Amino acid sequence: MTVNRAWRLRRRPAGEAAVGDLELVEEEVPELRDGQALVRTNLLSLDPTNRIWMSDIRGYMPPVPIDAVMRGLGIGEVVESKRDDMPVGAKVSGFLGWQDHVVADDALLEAPLTVLPDPLPGPESAFLGALGHTGVTAYIGIDLAGVGESDTVVISAACGAVGSIAGQVARQRGAKRIVGIAGGPEKCAHAVEKLGYDACVDHRADDWRDQLDAATPDGIDVDFENVGGPIMDHILGRLNIGARVSLCGMIAEYNTYDEGGKHSGALSNIGQLIMQRATIKGFLVLDFGDRFPEAIDYLGTLLAAGNLHYDETIRDTGIESMPTVLNELFDGGNMGKLLVRVAG
């Protein structure tokens, strides 16, 4: 008998996920049927969208139902199989959920799992980061903005899993100036020294608005937006004519949702989109499945040539730490991609 530990959502959080919102339970894994495989979770990805999925709000995927296993992306290994396409030992990625094991049955899962190449062309963890959904998100967002040689590009959450890659892709596309926004002097130094930003604004400093103005003396042509809130509002006030905003995320607002899925917030400079004839485009990487091979090939080539730096923070704290580690995303406790090692 295999016992599975799984986090089940018991109530919708008001603010940060707290004790009682989720419950860690132990459950027996049923015997496999034909067409099923048992996958042991090795790594789980922590993403801002985890918090969105907990709330009963209109989104690109339905909220996690109350009492269901918490949704989450991960990489695991097949440990038992009655599927020809998933032999024992194969590495797979996809919606494994916050649990030790998952039964890989396409009829039961939200989306089929992907069998990864053997051997892997990079570290396993990279397929949840630079060579996974966050790296592809960065690639797509920069491409949609049409970054060119005359552009000043601003990227919020510049040292995060997406922003750190987006800045480097913008550099490869020849952007004239790339400005990051990050939390604290250490992250800002890392953005400039390791990630290749021309400047970095410390949003924790009292004078961050003055810093951003000074770092963008010619205005802003492209905003790769990951944060929202006052930072996005100030950026909108500095857009140039014809500017493009790739709206990837608004992490500053995710913990403001109450149990009913409501939150307050406003952008006072939104009218600048009219004045500057600017465009704002929200995008989801899930809509670009046909471009994943293209993006991963591009990023993999950069990585192999030593032209792509990626950071990851792996917490070796096991499945029991998932809610606590999730909140690190919102207090800036991680550098780059945030992962929890469950096994392996």
Side-chain angles (χ1 to χ4, degrees), residues 62-134:
V64 175
I66 296 297
D67 296 328
V69 173
M70 181 59 204
R71 183 185 295 138
L73 290 162
I75 284 178
E77 181 176 339
V78 178
V79 293
E80 185 180 343
S81 182
K82 292 186 178 181
R83 286 183 61 157
D84 292 339
D85 61 336
M86 287 188 182
V88 171
K91 298 291 180 66
V92 298
S93 65
F95 288 104
L96 303 185
W98 285 13
Q99 53 190 345
D100 285 325
H101 295 85
V102 62
V103 175
D105 183 331
D106 293 351
L108 300 178
L109 297 176
E110 289 186 294
L113 301 180
T114 298
V115 178
L116 298 177
D118 183 19
L120 290 175
E124 184 178 88
S125 58
F127 289 85
L128 289 172
L131 301 181
H133 62 287
T134 53

Side-chain angles (χ1 to χ4, degrees), residues 14 21 41 49 80 99 103 134 164 183 187 198 208 212 218 241 265 269 280 287 298 304 307 310 322 324 334 342:
D21 296 333
T41 305
T49 193
E80 185 180 343
Q99 53 190 345
V103 175
T134 53
S164 60
K187 285 190 175 181
D198 294 296
W208 67 264
L212 183 55
D218 298 323
I241 292 176
N269 285 323
I280 183 168
D287 294 334
Y298 176 89
N307 293 323
Y310 77 93
M322 292 299 292
T324 301
N334 63 295
V342 178

